[in-house]
Amino acid sequence: MLLTFLLQVSVLLVVALGLGRLAVRLGLPALVGELLTGVLLGPSLLGTIAPGLLSWVLPADAGQLHLVDAVGQFGVLLLVGVTGIQLDTTMLRKRGVTGLRVSLAGLLLPLALGVGAGFLVPAALLTDHSERGVFALFLGVAMCVTAIPVIAKILADMGLLHRDIGQLTLAAGTVDDAVGWFLLSVVSAAATTGVRAGAVSLSILYLVLFVAAAYFLGRPAARWLMRRVHGGPRVTVAVVVILLGAAATQAMGMEALFGAFVAGLLIGQARDGEGLLWKDLTPLRTVVLSVLAPLFLATAGLRMDLTALADPKVLLAGIALLLVAVIGKFAGAYLGARASRLSHWEGIALGAGMNARGVVEVVVATTGLRLGVLSIATYTVIVLIAVVTSVMGPPILRLAMSRLEQTPAEQQRELALAGTPTGTPVTTGAHR
């Protein structure tokens, strides 16, 4: 069992590395190549060409499969925690009402459209045990999320971090990320207890109490801990804090990912003025993004089955859901931008940035599959939406920004960012 596990992990990482680098060379997020690892080695391709090899990569033995899944779960918890550490809440406060308005419009419209679509899709996309209401809620969350890691990397690659639109996109995405993990936790609790007013209210109460405890007790505790250790021990403490945060929400019957995200936010609040905290945590970020995240994405891709799209009902439903996801996010962000007196092209640019779902939507889909809310067909459709929206962002963003002249304030910010230490969170956005 151990030999098979070691060989499985090695093959997945080697193929994920190769396809991830190929995707980057083609100007795509590494996430695309890493998810394709699972597609190539999973039932979509290898299972069709050589079923015997598929049984080795994705064994039928539950115990063997759980070993790989456990590593993937550990990796995604740390990935979400590192994402929380990277979020710049100071920038969010500076952007104020405009960022909040864009974020909420870009969140609520696709959420409503996704929930509505969940009640209309064919029964073939549901599992035998999933309730239509819970399925619709999960689909709504999947439609409304965005992905700070992908947004930050796209903006950095395109040299747009200093632009007002870049800053606004990050600020709005920060709110979307936080609300997205909150909603995922609520919907996950509903999936296990059923959509009952009492159960949902209790879950929301637990979430509020957890957030309050994290703010008033966890924040000073995390700051005290992180400022008393340096170097390698800082990485250890950060990992322990993230895992304890995940364990806390899991123990309360909620999604562990929300606890990991909040714990990451608490660690990020302990930054010092010299950027030493982020410098010490750089090795953690490197291991998570270079090893654990690709392994998680590869295992997520193994669950995809593109042969499900051969069913006309599934294919048509997938195309419709893609349109709902793209139109909902674009229209929401655009309307929020226009309501804040931004120009037409600024609204288009915000919509393009906010539309990138990236790894966040993959995590939502994986959670839904694990809880039995999503079928393999629906899971495949949602992961494909994550890939398509992450790919379409850069060209649209490039077109919109070519119509916007750089202001003197943006030029000054560009000079300031050029002199910023490389350890600052804004310029080191994850590439997933």
Side-chain angles (χ1 to χ4, degrees):
M1 181 176 286
L2 178 60
L3 175 61
T4 304
F5 167 73
L6 294 175
L7 292 174
Q8 281 178 306
V9 171
S10 299
V11 169
L12 289 173
L13 282 176
V14 168
V15 178
L17 174 64
L19 293 180
R21 290 176 66 86
L22 177 61
V24 172
R25 282 181 173 272
L26 295 175
L28 303 174
L31 165 139
V32 175
E34 291 160 357
L35 280 173
L36 282 178
T37 299
V39 174
L40 295 179
L41 300 179
S44 298
L45 184 63
L46 190 60
T48 302
I49 299 174
L53 285 177
L54 173 65
S55 63
W56 180 81
V57 178
L58 189 64
D61 177 39
Q64 187 72 55
L65 184 59
H66 288 163
L67 283 176
V68 180
D69 280 342
V71 177
Q73 281 296 310
F74 179 71
V76 76
L77 287 174
L78 292 185
L79 175 63
V80 171
V82 168
T83 301
I85 295 173
Q86 291 180 175
L87 295 185
D88 191 350
T89 53
T90 301
M91 178 191 64
L92 179 60
R93 288 192 293 268
K94 288 180 179 178
R95 292 296 153 186
V97 177
T98 301
L100 184 62
R101 188 180 289 122
V102 171
S103 173
L104 291 179
L107 184 85
L108 296 177
L109 182 58
L111 174 64
L113 292 176
V115 171
F119 284 103
L120 298 176
V121 297
L125 292 179
L126 277 69
T127 64
D128 294 335
H129 306 291
S130 61
E131 298 178 16
R132 176 71 73 164
V134 175
F135 174 82
L137 290 172
F138 238 102
L139 197 58
V141 173
M143 295 296 104
C144 76
V145 296
T146 188
I148 278 291
V150 172
I151 292 173
K153 182 58 168 60
I154 290 174
L155 293 173
D157 287 347
M158 298 180 66
L160 298 176
L161 284 172
H162 67 286
R163 301 292 297 270
D164 289 341
I165 289 300
Q167 298 276 303
L168 271 175
T169 303
L170 285 174
T174 298
V175 176
D176 272 13
D177 252 6
V179 176
W181 296 124
F182 181 90
L183 291 176
L184 178 61
S185 192
V186 172
V187 175
S188 298
T192 56
T193 62
V195 186
R196 299 190 302 271
V200 174
S201 299
L202 186 61
S203 298
I204 294 175
L205 176 62
Y206 280 153
L207 279 172
V208 172
L209 291 176
F210 175 75
V211 171
Y215 184 82
F216 292 107
L217 301 177
R219 188 173 61 153
R223 184 184 295 115
W224 184 85
L225 281 172
M226 297 306 297
R227 291 185 177 180
R228 276 160 178 75
V229 290
H230 300 278
R234 248 184 184 170
V235 173
T236 305
V237 170
V239 171
V240 170
V241 170
I242 291 171
L243 295 181
L244 287 178
T249 50
Q250 184 73 21
M252 298 168 73
M254 298 180 293
E255 186 56 45
L257 295 167
F258 181 70
F261 178 76
V262 173
L265 285 176
L266 299 181
I267 295 170
Q269 295 299 305
R271 296 190 190 106
D272 47 48
E274 300 176 357
L276 295 178
L277 173 68
W278 191 249
K279 181 179 179 181
D280 286 344
L281 294 182
T282 296
L284 172 63
R285 175 182 176 273
T286 301
V287 171
V288 170
L289 296 182
S290 301
V291 179
L292 296 178
L295 185 59
F296 163 73
L297 290 168
T299 56
L302 286 173
R303 278 16 180 226
M304 295 176 65
D305 187 1
L306 296 180
T307 59
L309 299 178
D311 184 339
K313 290 183 179 180
V314 175
L315 179 60
L316 290 175
I319 295 173
L321 290 177
L322 175 62
L323 292 175
V324 167
V326 173
I327 294 173
K329 182 64 76 171
F330 257 98
Y334 181 83
L335 291 174
R338 297 295 281 169
S340 301
R341 301 180 184 277
L342 298 180
S343 70
H344 166 73
W345 287 108
E346 286 174 320
I348 294 293
L350 280 167
M354 297 284 289
N355 188 45
R357 265 68 169 198
V359 73
V360 178
E361 189 163 43
V362 177
V363 172
V364 173
T366 304
T367 303
L369 186 64
R370 173 171 55 82
L371 293 174
V373 177
L374 304 181
S375 65
I376 290 293
T378 314
Y379 172 83
T380 300
V381 168
I382 292 177
V383 174
L384 284 177
I385 290 174
V387 173
V388 172
T389 55
S390 298
V391 169
M392 66 187 295
I396 299 176
L397 191 58
R398 187 175 294 110
L399 172 65
M401 294 305 296
S402 67
R403 309 297 178 94
L404 299 172
E405 294 185 4
Q406 186 166 274
T407 66
E410 290 174 334
Q411 293 173 352
Q412 293 179 0
R413 193 182 298 129
E414 182 178 19
L415 295 175
L417 282 175
T420 300
T422 57
T424 54
V426 171
T427 57
T428 54
H431 70 302
R432 315 246 81 79

